[in-house]
Amino acid sequence: MTGAVTQGLPPTAGGRPGKPLIVTEDVDLLDDLLRLCAAAGATPEVHHSVPERRGSWESAPLVLVGDDAARRLRGTARRRGVVLVGRDQDDSGVWQRAVEIGADHVLMLPDGEQWLVDRIADVAEGVGRPALTVGVIGGRGGAGASTLACALAVTSAREGLRTLLVDADPLGGGLDVLLGGESAEGLRWPAFAASRGRVGGCALEESLPRLHSLRVLSWDRGDCVAIAPQAVRAVLAAARRRGGTVVVDLPRRIDDGVAEVLAQLDLGLLVVPAELRAVAAGGRVASAVGMVVRDLRVAVRGPYGPGLDDNEVAGLLGLPLVGEVPVEPGLLRPDGGKAPPGASARGPLARFCKAFWERALTEAGGS
C-alpha cells in the first residue's frame, strides 16, 4: 500500500544522482530497505535518527523513515521527498505520524515494494526533466518521415543534447542503415522483447549503438517484427528519464506497441507531401494518431500540387503548421550520399531542424 500525504518526490539537483537516506532502528525493516536499494542500484546512507552531519538530512534526494523512527523525528526541519515506511496495514495512526514529520508518502511493505524500487531507481539515475519526445510519421508511404526523424536526431546531438533515435517501424529497413551503422555494436529491439517493469535508463543508453554522437534503437535483420506493448512502454519510459531529446520514427499502422509510443509523445509531426492524395491519406493518419497524441502538427514537403501551398495543406488537415521540409540535394543522389540526413550543419534540412528544436524546447520550458 502507498498513499500520498502532500507532494511528490523532489528532482535531484541538476539531475545529478544522489544517495537515499534511511532512518530506522528496526533491523528487519532495514534489511528490506537495503535489499530494495540494491535492486534499484543505489547505495543508501543509514542512520538511527536525524543525521548529525550537517546538511545530510536536507540534501538527500529521498528519505526513507521507518515507522519506528517517526517519533524521534518530530520537530525536524520539513523537506520534500520523505517516505514513511511500515508494515502494519491496520495501523491507522501511521497517517498522523506521517503528518507530524512532513512525509510526502506512506508506504507499507511488502505491497509497496515495486513503487519504492522505482522511486529509489529515479534517485540512483539522477532523474531530472524528462526528454522532449517527438514522434515523426508519414502521411503516406514515401513521405520522408524517416529522413526527417534522422535529421532531427542528428541536429539535436550536434546541438549538444543527449539524443536517442528510436525506430518504431520494424518493416522500415532499420534507421541504423540510414545512419550508416548497420554493423555497429550494440543492442537492437529484439534484445528488449522480454522487458517488463522498469528498465534502467543509464543501462539502456550504454547498451545501444552510438552513431553520429547519438544513440540509436533500431531493428536487426532477424525475423522479429513485433515487441510486446509492456516492453515498448518500459524501454521508452527509460529513454525519457535520461533527459535531452528522444525522436521516434513511427510506422503508419497503429498496433498496440505503437499506441504505447504515441501515449508518451510530447509532440507529433505528420509529414505530408503537398499533393491531394497525400493530403487525403494524411487526414486518415491524423485522425488515428490524433486520438492519442495531444499535440500533433504537420510538416509539408514539396513540390506543390496545383492550388496548394503549405498553409493550405495545414488548413485542409486542421493541424498547426511546423513549416516546409526542405530538400537536401545530397540525399537525392542514387547512393543517398555518405552522410546521414541533416549531417551538414549549413544544409537546408539541418537549418530547418535547428529552428524546430529551438521553438520546441522553448515551448517545453528549456532543454
Side-chain angles (χ1 to χ4, degrees), residues 351-367:
R351 294 198 301 271
F352 172 88
C353 293
K354 182 177 180 180
F356 166 81
W357 285 123
E358 289 174 350
R359 293 192 304 269
L361 290 167
T362 299
E363 292 171 3
S367 59

Side-chain angles (χ1 to χ4, degrees), residues 199-218:
V199 173
C202 184
L204 171 68
E205 181 178 8
E206 293 177 354
S207 71
L208 300 177
R210 182 177 177 86
L211 302 169
H212 306 285
S213 300
L214 59 96
R215 298 286 180 170
V216 182
L217 176 55
S218 189

Side-chain angles (χ1 to χ4, degrees), residues 122-161:
D122 283 343
V123 168
E125 291 183 18
V127 172
R129 184 191 299 275
L132 177 60
T133 306
V134 177
V136 186
I137 188 169
R140 66 157 168 78
S146 296
T147 297
L148 180 57
C150 284
L152 285 170
V154 168
T155 304
S156 171
R158 185 168 51 241
E159 293 299 309
L161 296 170

Side-chain angles (χ1 to χ4, degrees), residues 121-345:
D122 283 343
V123 168
E125 291 183 18
V127 172
R129 184 191 299 275
L132 177 60
T133 306
V134 177
V136 186
I137 188 169
R140 66 157 168 78
S146 296
T147 297
L148 180 57
C150 284
L152 285 170
V154 168
T155 304
S156 171
R158 185 168 51 241
E159 293 299 309
L161 296 170
R162 173 184 281 120
T163 305
L164 173 61
L165 176 60
V166 179
D167 186 354
D169 186 0
L171 303 181
L175 291 186
D176 54 350
V177 177
L178 187 55
L179 291 171
E182 60 269 25
S183 61
E185 293 186 2
L187 300 181
R188 268 66 172 180
W189 265 119
F192 300 98
S195 298
R196 298 292 185 273
R198 184 187 180 96
V199 173
C202 184
L204 171 68
E205 181 178 8
E206 293 177 354
S207 71
L208 300 177
R210 182 177 177 86
L211 302 169
H212 306 285
S213 300
L214 59 96
R215 298 286 180 170
V216 182
L217 176 55
S218 189
W219 297 84
D220 61 14
R221 264 37 79 184
D223 296 330
C224 178
V225 294
I227 302 296
Q230 302 95 316
V232 174
R233 183 190 314 132
V235 169
L236 193 57
R240 299 188 73 234
R241 286 196 302 272
R242 295 292 287 163
T245 66
V246 174
V247 181
V248 187
D249 182 31
L250 294 159
R252 293 175 61 236
R253 73 184 194 291
I254 309 300
D255 58 19
D256 290 343
V258 174
E260 290 289 349
V261 176
L262 295 176
Q264 296 197 49
L265 294 182
D266 296 305
L267 190 157
L269 293 182
L270 178 67
V271 184
V272 180
E275 49 97 2
L276 286 177
R277 287 189 64 192
V279 173
R284 295 174 67 89
V285 176
S287 295
V289 173
M291 296 177 65
V292 183
V293 179
R294 58 182 178 273
D295 187 354
L296 181 63
R297 309 178 193 183
V298 62
V300 181
R301 280 189 57 226
Y304 293 93
L308 289 178
D309 59 24
D310 51 0
N311 287 294
E312 181 69 16
V313 172
L316 289 171
L317 293 171
L319 295 174
L321 176 65
V322 170
E324 178 185 353
V325 181
V327 174
E328 190 79 54
L331 298 178
L332 299 179
R333 297 199 303 267
D335 62 355
K338 295 181 179 180
S344 173

